[in-house]
Amino acid sequence: MSDNRQSLSDLAAIAANAPAAAAPAAVEAGEVAAAPVQPSAPLRAQEIDGLGRAYATGRRKDAVARVWVKPGTGKITVNGRDQEIYFARPTLRLVINQPFGVTEREGQYDVIATVKGGGLSGQAGAVKHGIAQALSKYEPALRSAVKAEGFLTRDSRVVERKKYGKAKARRSFQFSKR
């Protein structure tokens, strides 16, 4: 039994070759052949405000980050302070710079972020989410690279609530036999 299923790339190749094969016959008949349409522009439009910045909101745990991205020298400011001061741990700074590393845009954009709620880890994740969203709005062509890494998806994991009769969400009190 042979497999005659075709993938989308096979169908695209067939569609691209079909008008080329029919074109000589159309020219001989005196008809004008229409040029195939090439989708060169990205599907989404660039979203920039009056100051040339892209805005996005990032969320993680209880933290919410408002992020503005604009072309610059790579300076990242969080709540009015430099990222080295606000996020003292190198792992948190690494988290923030992940979207730039994936898109190969290190040092090309300035970031201004205001973060509220949660702890430092959640705030770093919220800023990362906001930077990824804002980058895809400023350069829509980068959206597929950022989306493939999962940076556009909000991490929905939150702390489980404490249950009655338990010390924490699942931790029981110490058992005493006597």
Side-chain angles (χ1 to χ4, degrees), residues 12-65:
I14 292 171
N17 292 336
V27 172
E28 289 175 359
E31 299 174 13
V32 178
V37 178
Q38 296 292 333
S40 60
L43 296 175
R44 296 177 181 264
Q46 187 181 34
E47 297 178 33
I48 299 177
D49 65 2
L51 300 175
R53 306 174 302 184
Y55 170 78
T57 304
R59 291 185 174 87
R60 170 85 171 95
K61 294 187 177 179
D62 279 340
V64 179

